[in-house]
Amino acid sequence: MNWIVGPQLIGFIILLAGLIQKRFPPKTINGLYGYRTASSMRNSQSWNEANRYSAQLMIKAGGITLASGLLITWMMTFFHFAETTQSIIQLVLVLVPTFGIAGGLIYFTEKYLKKVFGNHLES
């Protein structure tokens, strides 16, 4: 398995995105940059809190994925698979963390917003 392309690359990208969002949070509600869902875009308070919280989650998830990706890649050097099998394994190890982190980020941020602002966020 390649040391650059794999789950560690996804982890690095997510970690970097979280650090950028934390360092340069979106100032106003917009449709281009930030955590954009109906509940986060209801008002400035929910917008700021959603972007702060999701940045923290991205940093944690990115760090864990980066570290585990490097560990998996290192472990894969000990196994010798056919090229096709190795390509399938690599594809799965890239897609599963990508969709898992995206889904988890949305799930946990929305759950957090409901906890903080209640079921009905005020406009």
Side-chain angles (χ1 to χ4, degrees):
M1 214 181 242
N2 190 312
W3 282 93
I4 296 173
V5 178
Q8 64 273 15
L9 178 61
I10 299 302
F12 175 76
I13 291 169
I14 292 169
L15 175 65
L16 184 61
L19 290 170
I20 290 170
Q21 186 170 320
K22 183 177 180 176
R23 176 70 175 100
F24 304 103
K27 303 284 186 227
T28 58
I29 298 172
N30 68 79
L32 183 63
Y33 173 63
Y35 180 82
R36 302 172 315 273
T37 63
S39 59
S40 70
M41 297 174 82
R42 289 249 167 98
N43 58 50
S44 295
Q45 194 177 16
S46 63
W47 174 257
N48 292 333
E49 194 60 26
N51 280 285
R52 183 195 65 76
Y53 187 80
S54 65
Q56 289 177 343
L57 284 181
M58 281 192 284
I59 292 168
K60 289 175 186 174
I64 291 168
T65 306
L66 174 62
S68 61
L70 289 171
L71 179 63
I72 290 167
T73 300
W74 176 75
M75 289 173 44
M76 292 294 291
T77 60
F78 296 110
F79 301 101
H80 299 287
F81 295 105
E83 190 174 328
T84 305
T85 304
Q86 190 165 343
S87 295
I88 291 170
I89 292 170
Q90 188 173 9
L91 181 65
V92 169
L93 290 175
V94 169
L95 291 178
V96 170
T98 302
F99 289 112
I101 290 171
L105 180 68
I106 293 168
Y107 174 79
F108 288 112
T109 302
E110 292 299 309
K111 186 176 177 179
Y112 176 76
L113 289 175
K114 282 183 183 178
K115 178 183 169 190
V116 172
F117 297 104
N119 288 331
H120 303 291
L121 290 169
E122 296 178 17
S123 298

